[in-house]
Amino acid sequence: MAILTDTKAKAIKPDDKPLPHGGVMGLRLIPSKIKGRGRWELRFVSPLTGKRRDAGLGSYPEIGIASAKEKAEAMRKLVAEGIDPLDAKAREKAAPATPTFQQAAEILHKDLAPSWSNPKHVNDWINSMHIYVFKHIGAMPVTEITPKHIADVLRPFWLKKAETASRVKQRMSAVMGWAWAHGFIAANPVDVVRYLLPKQGEAARVEHFPAMPWRDVPAFVASNLSSRQSVSANALMFLMLTAARSGEIRGAAWAEIDLDSAIWTIPAERMKMGIAHRIPLSDSAMEILRAQQGQHPTLVFPSPRAEKPLSDSVLTMFLRKKNAHSNTGERTATAHGFRSSFRDWASVNQYPGDWAERALAHEIENKSEAAYNRDDLLEHRAVMMQAWADFLNGKTSKPNNVVPLRAA
């Protein structure tokens, strides 16, 4: 079949039959009510339904013969791949457009403003974005924003205006949290930005709870906890495995633990933040619980002598006896410091900060972000805590590129 020429196309009349393109099967020029004008149409069979469909490709002469062929060939390629081009186009049209950072911020601000009782805070929130953020990344789609972009925004005033910088960082985190909650991004880039910025002020350098460097923890476990015999050793290992606080471990009760589901639920009255906290238990944590069964009807880690909770000093004394070094090089590592070891490990291994913060039962200081993150992410944390347990026990794990889910 001869290829349609411009001479023949320009001569098309309203009462003519459609002119086949000749170069692409099913592509033809349908005459309009005006001589020399028409519309392109591609007739194809849907690979999904087996029914004939007609796709419009624009008007002639605005869409020339070569351009119509190019569009038709692209559609034919989709059909050959088992895709209905009209369905694909409809889905693309229905999908929400990726917002820029400024658009996302303005939507979030509008959503949250009615819940803020202080009008000054409403204005300060969005004004800080205009002053410090929008001129740098406001026009960028949220999908393209990386931790480096966030750090570059904050760096000029991170040390000079520490309080302002912290507030702006929290607000940026809320915006990216909104983008995450709405499916535009897979993780919040603000979660790891602290690794790209210097610490703010002298207070940030104070080590309240000396922590063992995370890379040194497996060697400590292998040397001192691999053949656990005492309640103290079991309690300390259980503390490491769960990233729980010392008081939560020492007061752990059998009634809080679901052995069938491998979940420990600490009631609100025993939590620092006053909110019940669920902890997924790794295989190693379950082994410790099995070893502790039968020692006390109520307590998981009872004091061997008095059959009451272990004292606050027991774990500290154990660490001193084992010469557990901390990252200061001078002070003994503390039981609480292993929470910091876990947090550093999670960050270096690129687990989302939200997973780690929930594992530590930390309160989300940014109330705006908290409003969009109510799920405790138990299934995700179960995978992360098993990987942490494997690391503590000296087992090699696959790189954290794709994290599978484990049923609760």
Side-chain angles (χ1 to χ4, degrees):
M1 183 182 293
I3 302 296
L4 180 64
T5 64
D6 271 322
T7 300
K8 192 171 183 180
K10 289 177 180 178
I12 193 170
K13 298 188 294 292
D15 56 350
D16 284 346
K17 292 182 178 180
L19 299 177
H21 180 280
V24 181
M25 184 176 65
L27 177 60
R28 56 186 188 162
L29 180 63
I30 311 290
S32 71
K33 296 180 180 180
I34 302 174
K35 181 181 177 181
R37 296 190 63 83
R39 57 184 177 83
W40 294 107
E41 182 181 84
L42 176 67
R43 178 165 290 180
F44 66 94
V45 175
S46 171
L48 302 180
T49 64
K51 296 181 179 180
R52 192 191 78 188
R53 303 198 72 178
D54 297 325
L57 302 181
S59 300
Y60 177 86
E62 288 80 7
I63 302 297
I65 295 173
S67 296
K69 178 185 179 184
E70 185 178 342
K71 288 187 174 185
E73 286 177 338
M75 283 193 170
R76 279 290 177 194
K77 183 178 180 181
L78 290 176
V79 172
E81 294 172 352
I83 301 171
D84 188 315
L86 290 180
D87 284 354
K89 185 176 181 181
R91 286 195 301 271
E92 182 179 346
K93 186 176 181 180
T98 300
T100 64
F101 183 91
Q102 182 166 348
Q103 289 170 336
E106 290 172 346
I107 293 171
L108 176 61
H109 180 252
K110 184 178 179 180
D111 288 347
L112 296 178
S115 66
W116 294 330
S117 58
N118 187 344
K120 184 178 183 299
H121 179 64
V122 175
N123 294 329
D124 286 349
W125 198 100
I126 197 67
N127 287 342
S128 67
M129 291 292 177
H130 282 285
I131 295 170
Y132 297 104
V133 184
F134 290 161
K135 59 187 176 183
H136 298 293
I137 62 171
M140 292 181 63
V142 292
T143 51
E144 296 180 9
I145 295 174
T146 67
K148 184 180 183 302
H149 290 123
I150 302 295
D152 288 345
V153 170
L154 295 169
R155 190 172 288 108
F157 61 104
W158 182 248
L159 298 178
K160 296 178 182 178
K161 300 180 180 179
E163 185 176 349
T164 298
S166 295
R167 283 199 298 267
V168 171
K169 175 175 173 286
Q170 289 176 355
R171 292 163 186 172
M172 294 173 75
S173 180
V175 175
M176 299 308 292
W178 176 91
W180 186 8
H182 285 78
F184 294 110
I185 58 177
N188 190 333
V190 185
D191 286 342
V192 295
V193 75
R194 64 184 178 278
Y195 295 105
L196 301 176
L197 295 168
K199 291 185 177 180
Q200 292 177 321
E202 186 67 27
R205 293 191 290 271
V206 176
E207 294 288 346
H208 294 290
F209 295 99
M212 184 176 292
W214 67 272
R215 289 184 175 85
D216 297 344
V217 180
F220 176 80
V221 170
S223 298
N224 303 286
L225 298 173
S226 58
S227 57
R228 297 178 294 275
Q229 300 293 332
S230 68
V231 174
S232 299
N234 280 342
L236 180 61
M237 189 63 189
F238 196 73
L239 177 144
M240 293 182 186
L241 290 164
T242 58
R245 297 177 177 89
S246 173
E248 296 158 5
I249 295 293
R250 292 183 291 105
W254 289 111
E256 300 170 356
I257 297 173
D258 185 337
L259 294 172
D260 294 329
S261 299
I263 297 173
W264 175 24
T265 303
I266 309 175
E269 58 268 22
R270 290 212 310 112
M271 292 300 299
K272 180 178 180 180
M273 299 303 171
I275 301 173
H277 178 50
R278 295 196 300 170
I279 299 178
L281 300 172
S282 62
D283 295 340
S284 295
M286 292 297 292
E287 289 178 9
I288 292 175
L289 291 177
R290 285 190 286 270
Q292 287 297 120
Q293 283 183 311
Q295 296 197 27
H296 193 275
T298 304
L299 298 171
V300 177
F301 301 106
S303 173
R305 297 178 182 177
E307 293 192 354
K308 61 181 183 180
L310 292 171
S311 70
D312 190 28
S313 62
V314 166
L315 299 184
T316 300
M317 292 174 62
F318 183 93
L319 290 167
R320 286 177 180 171
K321 182 179 179 181
K322 301 297 182 180
N323 295 317
H325 68 280
S326 70
N327 46 16
T328 66
E330 300 174 356
R331 302 168 64 188
T332 302
T334 62
H336 193 92
F338 286 109
R339 288 165 54 83
S340 178
S341 305
F342 161 76
R343 186 64 178 87
D344 290 343
W345 168 87
S347 296
V348 171
N349 284 273
Q350 300 179 7
Y351 284 96
D354 204 31
W355 300 14
E357 291 302 293
R358 276 164 170 71
L360 295 168
H362 279 166
E363 181 181 21
I364 300 177
E365 295 181 3
N366 189 319
K367 303 304 179 184
S368 303
E369 183 178 359
Y372 284 95
N373 291 276
R374 297 187 177 94
D375 188 354
D376 72 354
L377 306 175
L378 185 74
E379 293 181 356
H380 301 277
R381 291 191 287 115
V383 176
M384 177 177 63
M385 299 314 289
Q386 182 59 53
W388 169 240
D390 291 343
F391 169 74
L392 293 180
N393 289 306
K395 299 178 182 178
T396 56
S397 299
K398 295 181 179 179
N400 182 35
N401 294 328
V402 177
V403 181
L405 299 181
R406 187 183 87 176

